[in-house]
Amino acid sequence: MHINGQPWRTIWFEEADQRVGIIDQTRLPHHFETRYLSNLDEACTAISAMQVRGAPLIGVTAAYGVYLALREGHADLAAVCSRLLATRPTAVNLRWALERMFQSLQPIAESERPQHALALAGHLADEDAEACSAIGEHGLGLIRRAWEAKRALKPQAECLNILTHCNAGWLATVDWGTALAPIYKAHRAGIPVHVWVDETRPRNQGAFLTAWELQQEGIEHTIIVDNAGGHLMQHGHVDLCLVGSDRTTITGDVCNKIGTYLKALAAQDNGVPFYVALPVSTIDFTLEDGIREIPIEQRHPHEVSHMQGLNEHGQLTRIQVMAHHSAVNNYGFDVTPARLVTALITERGVFAARRDSLAALADFSN
Ligand code: MRU
């Protein structure tokens, strides 16, 4: 995708300096800064401190982390993978990428592992970008049909209104994004889209990242507080919801950023289609019941009690936004049951959120 008109990916390998480049997402939207990862510690910190985030990008960063660890001389491949796996618990793409690295590297002689690890990490990055582009194509079909149906009912309609939560754009992947990929493709195909962007407290991935991405691509959007979606749906201002996922069960339960479930409930109550876009690597074929079985990350209470922004001197700063001493919970994700999901958009096509539909995808998970 583009930043100031220049094409970028979220992660890349720099041959000249033999290091892995990332965009530091903790600084956006106010500062666009790149960082470089040169060892296992830096890769682990990048994921846990959310310099990189979003399920697919976490997986690819972990793959590069394996390469950096082997290059540093860490001989115990299983221990390296365990360390990276512990950085964030919910997004299954992390486990998926590490399993692919482990299975491919284990049979190889230790001296040859680093070069294979680098090649495989690059391959996973390319694969993710291709998968997200294909998700965009399949989602574009749904958006086109929704726009044609709206125009047939309301010839004066000016745009298709899509609500999204958190950031499931290209910053959350290597390129294109999941939920935002169909929106980018629709925009390029000339379909007038307008995006309602949930701010997504506490870390504001919607207000900070999704809005920034949409700006870069010139797409109409409006940031709303997290509780506004239901009201907008009641008044007919949302044509469809489109979100990403961090882990989806074989039965179609969808785990995504905290607050997604409430949007799905409001969507069902108002007859608004609720789509989830995800690569097959986000499906956990070992799980049946998302609510009981998916581990939900709890992050530091400071993310709730403090907020980051620009002060009156234009400096990036953190301020406390609530009284001292109140207890704070910071659940990162929730689970939307399959019954609330209209369909899942994957790189292999559009699937019902049901076991009989998703089972066919198991063969493509590796
Ligand atoms: O905590 P984050 O910012 O990593 O959470 C990201 C999300 O919840 C995204 O919606 C999800 O990873 C899908 S990304 C394409």
Side-chain angles (χ1 to χ4, degrees), residues 50 52-56 58 88 91 165-169 172-173 177-179 203 205 209 243-246 255-258 277 279 297 299 332-333:
M50 294 177 66
V52 291
R53 28 69 50 206
I58 292 170
R88 291 197 71 189
H165 191 68
C166 194
N167 172 262
T173 65
T178 57
R203 290 186 67 100
Q205 289 95 326
L209 305 178
V243 301
S245 172
D246 287 82
C255 184
N256 191 48
K257 183 52 57 191
I258 192 83
E297 177 177 22
R299 294 187 61 85
F333 300 90

Side-chain angles (χ1 to χ4, degrees), residues 143-202:
I143 290 181
R144 196 190 298 283
R145 283 197 288 284
W147 172 234
E148 285 166 359
K150 182 171 181 177
R151 280 288 288 269
L153 271 177
K154 294 185 196 163
Q156 310 308 327
E158 286 174 3
C159 63
L160 189 76
N161 289 303
I162 301 176
L163 183 142
T164 193
H165 191 68
C166 194
N167 172 262
W170 70 268
L171 287 168
T173 65
V174 173
D175 204 352
W176 282 105
T178 57
L180 295 194
I183 294 172
Y184 291 131
K185 300 253 177 182
H187 177 68
R188 291 181 187 190
I191 299 170
V193 284
H194 165 261
V195 185
W196 295 113
V197 179
D198 285 348
E199 64 174 343
T200 319
R201 278 280 285 148

